[in-house]
Amino acid sequence: MATQVKKTFQSPKGTFDILPDDQKYWEKVRKAVKHVALSYGFERIDIPMFEHADLYSTAIGQSTDIVEKEMYTFRSKGGDLLALRPEGTAGVMRSYVENGMLNLPQPVKLYYVGPMFRYEQPQAGRYRQHHQAGFEVLGDQDAVYDAQVIIAFLAVAQELGMKNLRVEINSIGCPKCRPAFRTQLVRFYKTRVAKLCKDCKRRLKDNPLRLLDCKEEKCEQLKAYAPNLIDHLCEECHNHFKLVFEYLDELEIPYALNPHLVRGLDYYTKTVFEVFVEDEHVEGGSEKTHQRSKLALGGGGRYDQLAKTLAGKDIPSVGAAIGMERLIGVMKRQNIKATPLYKPEVFLVQLGAFSKKKCLRLFEDLRVHGITVAESFGKDSIKAQLRSADRSAAKIALILGHKEAIDGMIIVREMDSGAQESISMEKLIKVLKEKLKK
Ligand code: HAM
């Protein structure tokens, strides 16, 4: 009978494992996000990883790439049409309304950290499961919060020691001023339709603002001559935008106005922004070249109409999200270090069945006293165990032979110098605390 070849499983395309070696970076980022969030008064919220699919299509917009092409939509056994969350803002707003947060003192400041799912073509910095850290200020229209969200975003990057960041900012107006601009934009592009890429020909009908975001070279060239929204803002939007600048200037936050920044989600009004990092990629095989490029670390903006669209309520809000994979990629490229999470201080070496049992108890005692212990209980030879102790980088090895175990003694060995002494078990914790300066 032919032997059956077993299928080897691989993680789905565009997903990856976060292995133990990388966890230190994730922990460092989560810590910085939490610290910054709490220092600006953002409280943590956790929302489900899936919601009713129409929450996203209503919030993000039917004719956006996310809703048209990238949602993981599925029917539950009960027949509900659900979708894995492609982003966090829609779910946070749903939760705010559902949980009556309108009755709390406003604004309500929330932050979240977690995975998002988008069926995108995977490439460097673009995955089908990615993680975001998001900040949302709900229930206040004051431009000061647009500035504060940008400042909090930058504070995370600063706390991590990142360099070469650039804030680009724009205002995309409101339902009062945007329709007239839209008409002008359509008029401009209609006379140049032949010069547009395939996607933009479609966008011209469905979502003309997105034409300004196209990265195709021929569309980029046209864009330079396209009308600017900034020139068409109503008085309210203009004044609001001016205030955002003033608040950023007050804190000397550098930013650049990018009149073509529109973002890929339809819920935005007024301020939109993105934070880029001037990044260095190494490309090519044998002949490697260093390419500098602009990578979007994250972005956000104001979404004053979202609650109206979702629930008929007036809840002006603003927020932003950071792409955590991109942040960590840049940290590594900028040589930002993260401290390993597992750093054993003491390694337990046991010789013989009796001392192994004693070591099991000793492990618990040390752990309870806050001393981090490593072991290789599965190995019996002293040589193999000392080799593991060496690899573990523990400062001290504790060696418990059969005789020591019976006499209530233990050998304390300094791994660096090899110096060792035999001490009574009763004194062990005190001696270790002194040696480890605890
Ligand atoms: P977004 O720009 O779609 O905004 O995503 C935020 C960030 O998540 C991006 O700048 C990028 O760093 C990262 N990101 C997005 N898609 C991927 C992907 N496929 N792979 C890796 N990283 C990715 C939002 O999601 C809005 N909800 C932000 C917001 C919050 N606006 C207001 N409040």
Side-chain angles (χ1 to χ4, degrees):
M1 211 170 77
T3 44
Q4 228 182 342
V5 180
K6 275 219 169 125
K7 176 179 169 185
T8 50
F9 288 101
Q10 292 186 328
S11 69
K13 191 173 165 185
T15 68
F16 61 92
D17 305 303
I18 305 173
L19 297 174
D21 239 14
D22 255 8
Q23 292 291 347
K24 54 180 180 286
Y25 294 103
W26 287 84
E27 197 56 28
K28 187 171 175 136
V29 168
R30 280 191 290 258
K31 225 170 124 184
V33 168
K34 181 177 173 184
H35 179 240
V36 168
L38 294 177
S39 61
Y40 285 93
F42 290 85
E43 290 189 276
R44 171 129 185 173
I45 185 165
D46 286 289
I47 48 169
M49 279 185 223
F50 58 88
E51 301 260 2
H52 290 283
D54 60 354
L55 171 75
Y56 298 122
S57 44
T58 311
I60 300 167
Q62 287 289 356
S63 58
T64 55
D65 283 354
I66 296 180
V67 172
E68 269 186 348
K69 307 186 224 168
E70 297 168 2
M71 279 223 292
Y72 282 91
T73 310
F74 59 98
R75 213 162 270 283
S76 73
K77 287 195 168 60
D80 292 332
L81 188 61
L82 304 172
L84 297 184
R85 62 182 188 196
E87 60 101 53
T89 311
V92 168
M93 183 57 93
R94 192 260 318 130
S95 174
Y96 173 102
V97 174
E98 186 174 340
N99 293 294
M101 291 189 222
L102 198 52
N103 301 321
L104 300 174
Q106 304 295 308
V108 174
K109 293 170 154 187
L110 302 169
Y111 86 97
Y112 50 90
V113 175
M116 307 292 163
F117 307 87
R118 296 182 189 179
Y119 189 78
E120 292 197 78
Q121 241 1 76
Q123 48 178 269
R126 178 165 297 164
Y127 310 100
R128 290 188 173 168
Q129 173 177 306
H130 73 280
H131 295 74
Q132 288 186 9
F135 299 97
E136 313 287 355
V137 180
L138 302 113
D140 204 311
Q141 60 186 4
D142 200 313
V144 76
Y145 290 115
D146 304 43
Q148 195 179 58
V149 162
I150 296 174
I151 292 163
F153 189 127
L154 293 178
V156 172
Q158 195 181 21
E159 187 153 323
L160 293 169
M162 297 183 79
K163 299 184 294 272
N164 304 335
L165 296 188
R166 179 184 164 90
V167 179
E168 292 190 4
I169 188 166
N170 192 20
S171 172
I172 57 166
C174 69
K176 257 193 276 165
C177 50
R178 208 185 300 157
F181 171 72
R182 204 181 130 115
T183 310
Q184 286 224 9
L185 196 69
V186 171
R187 198 173 299 145
F188 170 83
Y189 277 111
K190 264 203 170 146
T191 55
R192 296 160 177 91
V193 118
K195 294 183 183 154
L196 291 174
C197 74
K198 210 175 97 217
D199 276 344
C200 278
K201 283 186 180 135
R202 190 175 43 77
R203 284 180 189 131
L204 188 55
K205 277 197 226 103
D206 303 338
N207 200 349
L209 224 58
R210 297 280 300 145
L211 281 155
L212 297 175
D213 195 35
C214 184
K215 304 286 180 297
E216 287 281 325
E217 202 180 325
K218 53 183 182 177
C219 301
E220 286 257 24
Q221 280 171 9
L222 265 186
K223 195 158 67 179
Y225 305 97
N228 276 339
L229 229 166
I230 290 284
D231 304 330
H232 296 83
L233 294 179
C234 62
E235 201 183 340
E236 187 194 324
C237 288
H238 177 85
N239 291 341
H240 191 272
F241 200 33
K242 208 167 132 250
L243 274 173
V244 178
F245 288 156
E246 285 174 19
Y247 292 129
L248 291 175
D249 289 342
E250 183 63 29
L251 289 200
E252 292 167 37
I253 305 286
Y255 57 83
L257 176 71
N258 174 356
H260 295 139
L261 186 71
V262 287
R263 310 245 326 120
L265 305 101
D266 279 358
Y267 51 58
Y268 292 114
T269 45
K270 296 195 171 109
T271 317
V272 289
F273 72 92
E274 248 164 77
V275 177
F276 295 94
V277 61
E278 301 273 347
D279 201 12
E280 195 160 308
H281 293 289
V282 181
E283 290 194 356
S286 53
E287 285 174 34
K288 287 187 174 150
T289 53
H290 287 259
Q291 301 256 334
R292 288 196 83 78
S293 64
K294 224 172 78 171
L295 178 78
L297 264 193
R302 181 158 276 288
Y303 45 96
D304 290 350
Q305 299 298 315
L306 176 60
K308 204 160 271 156
T309 319
L310 292 180
K313 296 210 182 327
D314 192 20
I315 307 166
S317 306
V318 62
I322 308 175
M324 293 171 78
E325 281 78 6
R326 293 189 190 179
L327 197 70
I328 288 168
V330 174
M331 278 169 73
K332 289 181 182 172
R333 291 193 284 281
Q334 292 191 354
N335 232 341
I336 294 170
K337 299 273 178 283
T339 323
L341 302 174
Y342 177 60
K343 277 187 299 181
E345 296 163 301
V346 166
F347 196 98
L348 269 185
V349 176
Q350 96 308 98
L351 302 167
F354 180 65
S355 79
K356 189 189 284 196
K357 280 188 189 151
K358 292 283 163 207
C359 274
L360 210 57
R361 157 69 45 216
L362 182 56
F363 190 107
E364 290 308 309
D365 291 347
L366 294 171
R367 194 181 62 75
V368 168
H369 280 92
I371 297 168
T372 320
V373 198
E375 44 72 29
S376 51
F377 284 154
K379 293 193 180 95
D380 290 330
S381 107
I382 183 162
K383 243 174 136 180
Q385 290 185 66
L386 282 174
R387 252 202 316 272
S388 303
D390 228 16
R391 266 200 300 269
S392 78
K395 256 178 95 176
I396 292 165
L398 299 176
I399 305 167
L400 192 69
H402 186 75
K403 186 171 177 317
E404 285 86 15
I406 289 176
D407 294 348
M409 302 293 283
I410 190 157
I411 297 167
V412 179
R413 179 186 173 107
E414 307 253 0
M415 290 302 289
D416 277 351
S417 63
Q420 57 183 51
E421 58 178 325
S422 182
I423 63 163
S424 89
M425 275 290 203
E426 275 137 41
K427 291 196 192 136
L428 180 63
I429 301 286
K430 193 164 166 272
V431 169
L432 285 179
K433 285 197 169 169
E434 268 162 26
K435 284 186 186 288
L436 297 168
K437 298 197 174 53
K438 278 192 167 253

